[in-house]
Amino acid sequence: MGKIIAIANQKGGVGKTTTSINLAASLGVLEKKVLLIDADPQANASSGLGVDIDTVENGTYRLLEHAIEAKDAIIPTNSPNVDIIPSHIDLVAIEIELVDVEDREYMLKKAIAPILDDYDYIIIDCAPSLGLLTLNALTSADSVIIPIQCEYFALEGLGKLLNTVKSIQKIHNPGLDIEGLLLTMYDSRLRLSNQVVEEVKKHFDKMVFKTIIQRNVRLGEAPSFGESIISYDAGSKGANNYLSMAQELIEKNTPK
């Protein structure tokens, strides 16, 4: 059965979508079967993997409405072993539409239940908020990866997110784990970057991934070509970082 991992942080610009796309692509290259679910109305994970979002009819929106089955929303990507359930700007309306629906926090969980055995990993790219979309993702997930950028306000808001995770564990999903905190946008030349790394490791110790994602121009360029960093520039620092992170994730989830 596939492991479901949500990539979440209510702060924008921390590398959630970059991580979702490139972790999925790296796991695919390492011969794992991966499904990426784009649960962000901005649909950047979809366009970043080459999906023309203007033509999306069956995506996360209709899936959450239970208007279609998960298998009808899945499309293959140009990344080996990676499929995607794409998003569309329509998804913005789902929070209002589901507000009176019974069990609204479980809509995604129910929708993807039939396809869990088809994948090794299911990665959910969450919206930068703690609304109903992110709640659905965390209720469905086995674990959550929290990207934290190595910048001044890095830890601001993290307490709120960890409290949200705790309350979801208590009320909706007792099995939800924190897979780890992932340090992103690291620049070894900046004292601040190094201070943030020290601070995060001091507070959270074993919860922090060993792999740190370095600031890398190629990482920023790849999505505009509709490609992951692995297919855009496999020799880049960004590609090496995400491959190493995927390897770390696989090792962590392989029974000893």
Side-chain angles (χ1 to χ4, degrees):
M1 195 154 108
K3 177 160 195 177
I4 306 170
I5 302 175
I7 315 270
N9 190 329
Q10 77 273 30
K11 279 172 72 98
V14 295
K16 274 192 303 294
T17 301
T18 302
T19 295
S20 301
I21 292 172
N22 295 309
L23 176 58
S26 301
L27 288 166
V29 165
L30 296 171
E31 303 193 334
K32 299 294 178 190
K33 190 94 179 73
V34 186
L35 173 66
L36 176 58
I37 299 176
D38 191 348
D40 183 350
Q42 294 175 70
N44 292 339
S46 305
S47 58
L49 276 179
V51 176
D52 178 357
I53 53 177
D54 294 329
T55 62
V56 170
E57 282 178 23
N58 291 339
T60 320
Y61 176 63
R62 300 198 67 210
L63 186 66
L64 281 164
E65 285 190 314
H66 290 188
I68 52 165
E69 288 183 34
K71 62 179 173 48
D72 299 324
I74 293 170
I75 53 177
T77 71
N78 50 20
S79 255
N81 295 320
V82 180
D83 293 338
I84 189 168
I85 294 181
S87 178
H88 186 273
I89 189 66
D90 286 354
L91 190 56
V92 121
I94 203 78
E95 308 227 342
I96 298 156
E97 289 175 22
L98 291 183
V99 90
D100 296 327
V101 175
E102 200 180 334
D103 287 345
R104 60 185 181 273
E105 304 89 349
Y106 300 95
M107 300 302 266
L108 185 60
K109 186 183 175 82
K110 288 178 189 164
I112 61 176
I115 55 163
L116 292 184
D117 290 339
D118 301 343
Y119 294 95
D120 297 307
Y121 290 93
I122 295 175
I123 300 211
I124 308 174
D125 182 31
C126 294
S129 75
L130 293 177
L132 191 54
L133 275 170
T134 300
L135 182 56
N136 260 274
L138 294 174
T139 301
S140 314
D142 297 306
S143 67
V144 54
I145 289 174
I146 302 171
I148 298 174
Q149 85 279 41
C150 297
E151 284 167 11
Y152 186 65
F153 291 116
L155 297 177
E156 197 186 60
L158 185 60
K160 193 176 175 193
L161 179 58
L162 294 174
N163 285 338
T164 301
V165 169
K166 263 188 207 138
S167 65
I168 289 170
Q169 285 166 330
K170 218 180 290 177
I171 305 164
H172 303 295
N173 183 2
L176 180 65
D177 278 329
I178 291 176
E179 190 73 44
L181 308 182
L182 176 68
L183 290 157
T184 62
M185 304 180 196
Y186 172 72
D187 185 339
S188 58
R189 297 164 305 179
L190 299 179
R191 203 173 78 203
L192 180 62
S193 268
N194 293 305
Q195 282 172 340
V196 171
V197 171
E198 270 172 47
E199 193 79 359
V200 171
K201 286 186 169 170
K202 188 171 82 187
H203 285 295
F204 298 102
D205 191 28
K206 291 189 170 63
M207 282 167 70
V208 186
F209 279 101
K210 290 189 187 77
T211 306
I212 295 177
I213 309 299
Q214 290 164 296
R215 198 175 273 289
N216 179 241
V217 175
R218 309 296 274 169
L219 264 182
E221 291 171 354
S224 60
F225 294 91
E227 291 184 31
S228 74
I229 189 65
I230 309 299
S231 48
Y232 181 64
D233 186 353
S236 68
K237 214 185 289 178
N240 287 332
N241 287 168
Y242 276 109
L243 280 165
S244 138
M245 193 218 161
Q247 195 71 59
E248 194 179 336
L249 185 69
I250 291 168
E251 279 165 21
K252 203 173 170 189
N253 287 284
T254 304
K256 296 282 183 287

